[in-house]
Amino acid sequence: MHAGPRRHHARLIPALIAGATLLTACGTGAGTSTAEQPAAKVTVTPAAGSKAAELGSRISVKADGGKLTSVAVKDGDGGDVTGKLAGGGASWTSDGKIRPKTTYTVRTKATSDGGRESARKSVFTTEAADKVNKLTNTPSNGQSVGTGMPVSILFDHHIATDRRAEIEKALKVTTQPHVQGSWGWVKDYGGQDRIDWRPKDSWPAGTKVSVKGALSGTNSGDDSGWFARDYNFGFTIGKDHKAVIDVPSHTLTMYENGKSVGSITGSAGSPQDPTRGGVHTVRSKNAAETMDSATIGHGDEWMLDSKWVTHLTASGTFLHSAPWNKSLGVVNNSHGCFGMSTADAKQVYDFLPIGSTVEVKGTSNTEHTDVGNGLEVWQETWPQWQQRSALK
């Protein structure tokens, strides 16, 4: 009596098993697990390997079959190398170029189109440079300077003409408040290449200035070498102190915020050696100095000790004490400088910070003072200065 039902169950069980098998097969066909998905292909350039990477390029990372979720790059000193993702994570490019003789470590994370996450580490070393170019910046970092001070960058080696535009683009000046200005290429009095940034007009007192040069890995010319680092410095504009020398009246007048705060008398250049005209920038100062005639083309005519020396041009236009001169305030008989009593020279020395301006009026000197003869950026009009830019 029970055989029939048992036979019925025997036939039903295989059918259920087959149905279960069919359902499982359908589920497997709909997709594979994340772990079985192929990882995104991540390519780092320069590639890892024993061959030194060629200079002049940026670090780039590319993801195929997915997107980058993280890129972290360290240089040989452990410093972070900044860069930017693009294309929704399809690529990453460093902000700056690779620098000479440096080992870089690139760590990436990526997610494939199928959702698989992967991580990778790549290490490469750059080739050494045959020659390294360096720079010296004026003002120095953290310095407080006068309202006429330019940013001045002096290079150790020549900058090739066809490299100047790229180098100028890598140099950024940021000011607070905003001040309009421009870079200009200059031949320094000592013969080296220089690039200066001057504001259109005098700096407002209290301006904060930041200068950054993303020069690492930049070639300055076939025979001039590569830059091996970036630069970052800043300075502050101090009080608005200026001076005006009126040659015919033998007078130097000091101004604060455009208002006269006192005048002193002295002696400017003689008719044979008239003081250079125009607006000069105080480039340096010495509390005591020996005046050597040979430095301004007068052989061994004199060797005199002077105090409170304020330097204008590199060729020797100074403000200084001249106690040996018995004609101060009466006759212009110097060799191009403006001489004063020791007490007056100290007053001027203390009043004029480095970077302040001294305008010379009424001189018979018609010789143009080259911009590189000191920090003489104010010898040119704003349109003239703008023509010195490689990006004009």
Side-chain angles (χ1 to χ4, degrees), residues 161-207:
T161 302
D162 62 353
R163 307 302 304 160
R164 293 188 173 190
E166 181 181 2
I167 290 171
E168 188 174 329
K169 286 180 182 178
L171 299 169
K172 303 295 181 185
V173 176
T174 305
T175 66
Q176 182 61 41
H178 173 72
V179 176
Q180 182 183 2
S182 175
W183 290 105
W185 289 90
V186 177
K187 181 66 72 175
D188 186 74
Y189 190 73
Q192 294 165 271
D193 284 339
R194 210 175 85 194
I195 185 170
D196 292 356
W197 191 98
R198 58 155 275 195
K200 180 180 179 182
D201 302 302
S202 296
W203 293 104
T207 303

Coordinates of all heavy atoms in Angstrom, one line a residue, residues 161-207:
T161 N 68.7 82.2 -23.4 CA 67.6 83.1 -23.8 C 66.3 82.2 -24.1 O 65.2 82.6 -23.7 CB 67.9 83.8 -25.1 OG1 69.1 84.6 -24.9 CG2 66.8 84.7 -25.6
D162 N 66.5 81.0 -24.6 CA 65.3 80.2 -24.9 C 64.8 79.5 -23.7 O 63.8 78.8 -23.7 CB 65.6 79.2 -26.0 CG 66.7 78.2 -25.7 OD1 67.3 78.4 -24.6 OD2 66.9 77.3 -26.4
R163 N 65.4 79.7 -22.5 CA 65.0 79.1 -21.3 C 64.3 80.1 -20.4 O 63.7 79.8 -19.3 CB 66.1 78.4 -20.5 CG 67.0 77.4 -21.3 CD 66.1 76.3 -21.8 NE 65.4 75.6 -20.8 CZ 64.4 74.9 -20.9 NH1 63.8 74.7 -22.2 NH2 63.8 74.3 -19.9
R164 N 64.4 81.4 -20.7 CA 63.9 82.4 -19.8 C 62.4 82.4 -19.6 O 62.0 82.7 -18.5 CB 64.4 83.8 -20.3 CG 65.9 83.9 -20.2 CD 66.5 85.3 -20.6 NE 67.9 85.4 -20.3 CZ 68.6 86.5 -20.3 NH1 68.0 87.6 -20.6 NH2 69.9 86.5 -20.1
A165 N 61.7 82.2 -20.6 CA 60.2 82.3 -20.5 C 59.7 81.2 -19.5 O 58.9 81.4 -18.6 CB 59.5 82.1 -21.8
E166 N 60.3 80.0 -19.6 CA 59.9 78.9 -18.7 C 60.2 79.2 -17.3 O 59.5 78.9 -16.4 CB 60.5 77.6 -19.2 CG 60.1 76.4 -18.3 CD 60.7 75.1 -18.7 OE1 61.5 75.1 -19.7 OE2 60.5 74.1 -18.1
I167 N 61.4 79.7 -17.1 CA 61.9 80.0 -15.8 C 61.1 81.2 -15.2 O 60.7 81.1 -14.0 CB 63.4 80.4 -15.8 CG1 64.2 79.1 -16.1 CG2 63.8 81.0 -14.5 CD1 65.7 79.4 -16.4
E168 N 60.8 82.2 -16.0 CA 59.9 83.3 -15.5 C 58.5 82.8 -15.1 O 58.0 83.2 -14.1 CB 59.8 84.4 -16.5 CG 59.2 85.6 -16.1 CD 59.2 86.7 -17.1 OE1 60.2 86.8 -17.9 OE2 58.3 87.6 -17.1
K169 N 58.0 81.8 -15.8 CA 56.7 81.3 -15.5 C 56.7 80.6 -14.2 O 55.7 80.5 -13.5 CB 56.2 80.3 -16.6 CG 55.7 81.0 -17.9 CD 55.3 80.0 -18.9 CE 54.9 80.6 -20.2 NZ 54.5 79.6 -21.2
A170 N 57.8 80.0 -13.8 CA 57.9 79.2 -12.6 C 58.1 80.1 -11.4 O 58.0 79.6 -10.2 CB 59.1 78.2 -12.7
L171 N 58.3 81.4 -11.6 CA 58.5 82.3 -10.5 C 57.2 83.1 -10.2 O 56.6 83.7 -11.1 CB 59.6 83.3 -10.8 CG 61.0 82.7 -11.0 CD1 61.9 83.7 -11.6 CD2 61.5 82.1 -9.7
K172 N 56.7 83.0 -9.0 CA 55.4 83.6 -8.6 C 55.6 84.6 -7.4 O 56.2 84.2 -6.4 CB 54.4 82.6 -8.2 CG 54.1 81.5 -9.3 CD 53.5 82.1 -10.6 CE 53.2 81.0 -11.6 NZ 52.7 81.6 -12.9
V173 N 55.1 85.8 -7.6 CA 55.0 86.8 -6.5 C 53.6 87.0 -6.0 O 52.7 87.3 -6.9 CB 55.7 88.1 -6.9 CG1 55.5 89.1 -5.8 CG2 57.1 87.9 -7.3
T174 N 53.4 86.8 -4.8 CA 52.0 87.0 -4.2 C 52.1 88.1 -3.1 O 53.1 88.0 -2.3 CB 51.5 85.7 -3.5 OG1 51.5 84.6 -4.5 CG2 50.1 85.9 -3.0
T175 N 51.2 89.0 -3.2 CA 51.3 90.2 -2.2 C 50.0 90.3 -1.5 O 48.9 90.0 -2.0 CB 51.7 91.5 -2.9 OG1 50.6 91.8 -3.8 CG2 52.9 91.3 -3.8
Q176 N 50.1 90.9 -0.3 CA 48.9 91.2 0.5 C 49.1 92.6 1.1 O 50.0 92.7 2.0 CB 48.7 90.1 1.6 CG 47.5 90.4 2.5 CD 46.2 90.3 1.7 OE1 46.0 89.5 0.8 NE2 45.3 91.2 2.0
P177 N 48.4 93.6 0.6 CA 47.4 93.6 -0.4 C 47.9 93.4 -1.8 O 49.2 93.4 -2.0 CB 46.7 94.9 -0.3 CG 47.8 95.8 0.2 CD 48.6 95.0 1.1
H178 N 47.0 93.2 -2.8 CA 47.5 92.9 -4.2 C 48.2 94.2 -4.7 O 47.8 95.3 -4.5 CB 46.3 92.6 -5.1 CG 46.7 92.5 -6.5 ND1 47.4 91.5 -7.0 CD2 46.5 93.4 -7.5 CE1 47.6 91.7 -8.3 NE2 47.0 92.8 -8.7
V179 N 49.4 93.9 -5.3 CA 50.2 95.0 -5.9 C 50.6 94.5 -7.3 O 51.0 93.4 -7.5 CB 51.5 95.3 -5.1 CG1 52.3 96.3 -5.8 CG2 51.1 95.7 -3.7
Q180 N 50.3 95.4 -8.3 CA 50.7 95.1 -9.7 C 52.2 95.2 -9.9 O 52.8 96.2 -9.4 CB 50.0 96.1 -10.7 CG 50.3 95.8 -12.1 CD 49.6 96.8 -13.1 OE1 49.0 97.7 -12.6 NE2 49.8 96.6 -14.4
G181 N 52.8 94.3 -10.6 CA 54.2 94.3 -10.9 C 54.6 93.4 -12.0 O 53.7 92.7 -12.6
S182 N 55.8 93.3 -12.3 CA 56.3 92.5 -13.5 C 57.8 92.1 -13.3 O 58.6 92.8 -12.7 CB 56.2 93.3 -14.8 OG 56.7 92.6 -15.9
W183 N 58.1 90.9 -13.8 CA 59.5 90.5 -13.9 C 60.2 91.2 -15.0 O 59.6 91.5 -16.0 CB 59.6 89.0 -14.1 CG 59.1 88.1 -12.9 CD1 57.9 87.5 -12.8 CD2 59.8 87.9 -11.7 NE1 57.9 86.8 -11.6 CE2 59.0 87.1 -10.9 CE3 61.1 88.3 -11.2 CZ2 59.5 86.7 -9.6 CZ3 61.5 87.9 -9.9 CH2 60.7 87.1 -9.2
G184 N 61.5 91.3 -14.8 CA 62.3 91.9 -15.9 C 63.7 91.3 -15.8 O 64.3 91.1 -14.7
W185 N 64.3 90.9 -17.0 CA 65.6 90.3 -17.0 C 66.7 91.3 -17.1 O 66.6 92.3 -17.8 CB 65.7 89.3 -18.2 CG 64.9 88.1 -18.0 CD1 63.6 87.9 -18.4 CD2 65.3 86.9 -17.4 NE1 63.2 86.6 -18.0 CE2 64.2 86.0 -17.4 CE3 66.5 86.5 -16.8 CZ2 64.3 84.7 -16.9 CZ3 66.6 85.2 -16.3 CH2 65.5 84.3 -16.3
V186 N 67.7 91.2 -16.3 CA 68.7 92.2 -16.0 C 70.1 91.6 -16.1 O 70.3 90.4 -15.7 CB 68.5 92.8 -14.7 CG1 69.6 93.9 -14.4 CG2 67.1 93.5 -14.5
K187 N 71.1 92.3 -16.6 CA 72.5 91.9 -16.5 C 73.1 92.6 -15.3 O 73.2 93.8 -15.3 CB 73.2 92.2 -17.8 CG 74.7 91.8 -17.8 CD 74.9 90.3 -17.7 CE 74.5 89.7 -19.1 NZ 74.7 88.2 -19.1
D188 N 73.5 91.8 -14.3 CA 74.0 92.4 -13.1 C 75.3 93.1 -13.4 O 76.0 92.8 -14.3 CB 74.2 91.3 -12.0 CG 74.6 91.9 -10.7 OD1 73.7 92.4 -10.0 OD2 75.8 91.7 -10.3
Y189 N 75.6 94.1 -12.5 CA 76.9 94.8 -12.7 C 78.1 93.9 -12.6 O 79.1 94.2 -13.3 CB 77.0 95.8 -11.5 CG 78.1 96.9 -11.7 CD1 78.0 97.9 -12.6 CD2 79.2 96.8 -10.9 CE1 79.0 98.8 -12.8 CE2 80.3 97.7 -11.0 CZ 80.2 98.7 -12.0 OH 81.2 99.7 -12.1
G190 N 78.0 92.8 -11.9 CA 79.1 91.8 -11.9 C 79.1 90.9 -13.0 O 80.0 90.0 -13.1
G191 N 78.2 91.0 -14.0 CA 78.2 90.2 -15.2 C 77.3 89.0 -15.2 O 77.1 88.4 -16.2
Q192 N 76.7 88.7 -14.0 CA 75.8 87.5 -14.0 C 74.4 87.9 -14.4 O 74.0 89.1 -14.4 CB 75.7 87.0 -12.5 CG 77.0 86.4 -12.0 CD 77.0 86.3 -10.5 OE1 77.4 87.1 -9.8 NE2 76.6 85.1 -10.1
D193 N 73.6 86.9 -14.8 CA 72.2 87.1 -15.2 C 71.4 87.2 -13.9 O 71.6 86.6 -12.9 CB 71.7 85.9 -16.0 CG 72.2 85.9 -17.4 OD1 72.6 87.0 -17.9 OD2 72.2 84.9 -18.1
R194 N 70.3 88.1 -14.1 CA 69.5 88.4 -12.9 C 68.1 88.6 -13.4 O 67.9 89.0 -14.6 CB 70.0 89.7 -12.3 CG 69.7 89.9 -10.8 CD 70.4 91.1 -10.3 NE 69.6 92.3 -10.5 CZ 70.0 93.5 -10.4 NH1 71.3 93.8 -10.2 NH2 69.2 94.6 -10.5
I195 N 67.1 88.3 -12.6 CA 65.7 88.6 -12.9 C 65.1 89.3 -11.7 O 65.2 88.9 -10.6 CB 64.9 87.4 -13.3 CG1 63.5 87.8 -13.7 CG2 64.8 86.4 -12.2 CD1 62.6 86.7 -14.4
D196 N 64.5 90.5 -11.9 CA 64.0 91.3 -10.8 C 62.5 91.5 -11.0 O 62.0 91.5 -12.2 CB 64.6 92.7 -10.8 CG 66.1 92.7 -10.4 OD1 66.6 91.6 -10.0 OD2 66.7 93.8 -10.4
W197 N 61.7 91.6 -10.0 CA 60.3 91.9 -10.0 C 60.1 93.2 -9.3 O 60.5 93.4 -8.1 CB 59.5 90.8 -9.3 CG 58.0 90.8 -9.5 CD1 57.3 90.1 -10.4 CD2 57.1 91.6 -8.8 NE1 56.0 90.4 -10.3 CE2 55.8 91.3 -9.3 CE3 57.1 92.5 -7.7 CZ2 54.6 91.9 -8.8 CZ3 56.0 93.1 -7.2 CH2 54.7 92.8 -7.8
R198 N 59.6 94.2 -10.0 CA 59.3 95.5 -9.3 C 57.8 95.8 -9.4 O 57.1 95.5 -10.4 CB 60.1 96.6 -9.9 CG 59.9 96.8 -11.4 CD 60.2 98.3 -11.9 NE 59.1 99.1 -11.7 CZ 59.0 100.4 -12.3 NH1 59.9 100.8 -13.0 NH2 57.9 101.1 -12.1
P199 N 57.3 96.5 -8.4 CA 55.9 96.9 -8.5 C 55.8 98.1 -9.5 O 56.8 98.7 -9.8 CB 55.5 97.4 -7.1 CG 56.8 97.7 -6.5 CD 57.9 96.8 -7.1
K200 N 54.6 98.3 -10.0 CA 54.4 99.4 -11.0 C 54.8 100.7 -10.3 O 55.5 101.6 -10.9 CB 53.0 99.5 -11.5 CG 52.7 100.6 -12.5 CD 51.2 100.6 -12.9 CE 51.0 101.8 -13.9 NZ 49.5 101.8 -14.3
D201 N 54.3 100.9 -9.1 CA 54.7 102.1 -8.3 C 55.3 101.6 -7.0 O 55.4 100.4 -6.7 CB 53.4 102.9 -8.0 CG 52.7 103.4 -9.3 OD1 53.4 104.1 -10.1 OD2 51.6 103.0 -9.5
S202 N 55.7 102.5 -6.1 CA 56.3 102.1 -4.8 C 55.3 101.2 -4.1 O 54.1 101.3 -4.1 CB 56.6 103.4 -4.0 OG 57.6 104.1 -4.6
W203 N 55.9 100.3 -3.3 CA 55.1 99.4 -2.4 C 54.3 100.2 -1.4 O 54.9 101.2 -0.8 CB 56.0 98.5 -1.6 CG 56.8 97.5 -2.4 CD1 58.1 97.5 -2.7 CD2 56.3 96.2 -2.9 NE1 58.5 96.4 -3.4 CE2 57.4 95.6 -3.5 CE3 55.1 95.6 -2.9 CZ2 57.3 94.3 -4.1 CZ3 55.0 94.3 -3.5 CH2 56.1 93.7 -4.0
P204 N 53.1 99.8 -1.1 CA 52.4 100.4 0.1 C 53.1 99.9 1.4 O 53.5 98.7 1.4 CB 51.0 99.9 0.0 CG 50.9 99.4 -1.4 CD 52.2 99.0 -1.9
A205 N 53.3 100.8 2.4 CA 53.9 100.3 3.6 C 53.1 99.2 4.2 O 51.9 99.2 4.2 CB 54.0 101.5 4.6
G206 N 53.8 98.2 4.8 CA 53.1 97.1 5.4 C 52.7 95.9 4.5 O 52.2 94.9 5.0
T207 N 53.0 96.0 3.2 CA 52.7 94.9 2.3 C 53.5 93.7 2.7 O 54.7 93.8 3.0 CB 53.1 95.3 0.8 OG1 52.3 96.5 0.5 CG2 52.7 94.2 -0.1

